[in-house]
Amino acid sequence: MRQQLLRSGAEELTYEIRGIVKKARQVEALGYSMTWENIGDPIQKSNHVPDWMKEIIADLLKEDKTYGYADSKGVLETRRFLATLNNERGGTQITAEDILFFNGLGDAIAKLYQFLIPTARIIGPSPAYSTHSSAEAAHANAAPITYKLDPDNQWLPDMEDLYLKVRYNPSIVGILIINPDNPTGMVYPREVLEAFVKIAEEFNLLLITDEIYQNITYNGITAVPLAEVIGDRPAISLKGISKEFPWPGSRCGWMEFYNRESSKEFSKLCQTLENAKMIEVCSTILPQLAIPKIMKHPAYFKYREEANAQIGKRSEWMSEILGDIPGIKFNPTQGAFYNTIVFEEGVLKEDQFLPIEDKKLKSLLDSWLEEKNMPLDKRFVYNLLAAEQICVVPISSFCSDLRGFRVTLLEENEEVFKNTFRRLGNAIRRYLKSEVEV
């Protein structure tokens, strides 16, 4: 080409959660069925959308207004409803004007980082959710800046690590919190959220929280909204319906701006995001119209309560199956529907393997393993994919120096769920012993 096309940092836009699917499809092409544990799609795992919810959506499709534009910021009735939900909890109060809709949180995240100057950095957790870390790195033309989540302390953040990185890196203008966390399934206690706010106050930082899983907690755990603890700090909460209803194909998410007049720079950012949405005209209207009707339905609370209880059961089953395997660090899931399993340092080796009898399958795996400088957890994930046809995601792909993998807790069939994780547990045991048998 006459000129370079891509700006520096564009290579950071990777998404292994879906990238691993290409490998899995190659296995399927050889006649094998796949167990999908790579992505948080409840529908893919046969989660049932309640009939009463479908009826609401069907009735909306009969109304002419469903086919038109919405206000650029989103359907006013829905924004008022969501503002009331926030305000009823106490804490920082907002109005409908502080809510801005997007076509999914991925769209919201991309827009948020797009308008920051490249030298303005947002520090986020590691392991990191790829959509955040890739977008932040691409905007900054550099690798993401992260603080550590500690697998030896229930995946809670290393606050000293965060404090020192903020203190000695003046380019950091904001802190990202994902609560409940993806990929670890950890839920931040109130005192930890208050510690984030204290750091933000000391260094005059913006707080950003991804709370899309806030209403998906179980086994006695609840998630505290950031709005309850921020006081007068400027902050943005990212929310959506993809996992909670569940309706991932709706591509419907929104931002809530807290204390937008507390900082001139923050107010300008909020206005810029609103202006960008006006240029697009608006986000998809059908799911926006459905939100208040679904969430106000008398069956909604019970539906969510029962769904959370089922995920909690699966968390307990997973703990029973994987919790005592030598060579891994296992923490029970508290929220969302993921678990990140980490290998103990030093247990992964280059020559470990899972036996495969099918020569075509073995040849396929060998071709994958030719990748240079492959992280050792990725080698395990590829072996697992070929030998057991279980598709998981390596934690090295979540902007982390740890080595492990992420799974989901979405499979509703108890027999299938337990069988999947028994196979996974046995594969871990065989793999870690395999180099001795060579």
Side-chain angles (χ1 to χ4, degrees), residues 12 94-95 113-114 125 166 212 221 231 241 255 312 375 381 389 394:
E12 296 290 342
I94 59 174
T95 72
Y113 292 111
Q114 176 183 341
V166 168
I212 194 167
I221 302 293
I241 62 173
M255 292 182 183
V381 165
Q389 294 82 57

Side-chain angles (χ1 to χ4, degrees), residues 154-172:
Q154 298 181 311
W155 286 115
L156 292 174
D158 183 335
M159 299 307 287
E160 182 179 3
D161 178 58
L162 172 63
Y163 182 86
L164 291 174
K165 285 175 176 173
V166 168
R167 180 177 181 181
Y168 293 109
N169 191 338
S171 67
I172 293 174

Side-chain angles (χ1 to χ4, degrees), residues 36 39 44 59 78-79 94 123 141 184 198 206 209 237-238 279 298 304 320-321 328 350 359 369 377 388 402 430:
W36 299 99
I39 195 164
Q44 186 185 67
D59 287 342
T78 302
R79 289 186 286 123
I94 59 174
I123 187 170
N141 302 330
T184 69
K198 187 175 180 181
L206 168 67
T209 181
S237 174
L238 304 168
I279 293 170
R304 194 62 259 160
E320 292 169 4
I321 295 169
I328 65 171
E350 285 279 353
K359 292 182 179 180
L369 296 179
D377 59 345
E388 290 292 338
L402 298 170
R430 296 199 314 272

Side-chain angles (χ1 to χ4, degrees), residues 203-320:
F203 296 101
N204 196 23
L205 304 179
L206 168 67
L207 287 166
I208 301 168
T209 181
D210 185 330
E211 297 180 316
I212 194 167
Y213 296 101
Q214 185 159 99
N215 294 325
I216 305 178
T217 59
Y218 30 84
N219 298 342
I221 302 293
T222 57
V224 177
L226 185 67
E228 289 188 13
V229 299
I230 56 171
D232 59 3
R233 291 303 314 160
I236 297 175
S237 174
L238 304 168
K239 296 179 178 176
I241 62 173
S242 291
K243 314 306 170 85
E244 185 177 332
F245 276 18
W247 193 3
S250 70
R251 308 315 305 135
C252 181
W254 65 92
M255 292 182 183
E256 295 178 0
F257 301 135
Y258 303 133
N259 303 312
R260 66 184 293 168
E261 300 304 326
S262 62
S263 159
K264 183 182 292 186
E265 285 298 311
F266 180 54
S267 181
K268 286 165 58 179
L269 173 61
C270 297
Q271 187 61 56
T272 298
L273 290 165
E274 291 175 357
N275 292 345
K277 181 51 66 175
M278 281 191 284
I279 293 170
E280 290 182 16
V281 183
C282 70
S283 295
T284 306
I285 188 171
L286 173 61
Q288 293 184 50
L289 292 170
I291 288 171
K293 293 181 181 294
I294 289 173
M295 296 184 103
K296 287 192 292 187
H297 193 280
Y300 184 70
F301 178 79
K302 184 179 180 182
Y303 160 73
R304 194 62 259 160
E305 191 176 49
E306 291 176 349
N308 287 352
Q310 290 302 314
I311 302 171
K313 279 186 182 178
R314 295 194 285 270
S315 175
E316 292 173 350
W317 296 336
M318 188 183 291
S319 296
E320 292 169 4

Side-chain angles (χ1 to χ4, degrees), residues 50 91 178 278 363-364 371:
I178 304 178
M278 281 191 284
S363 177
L364 189 60
E371 180 181 322

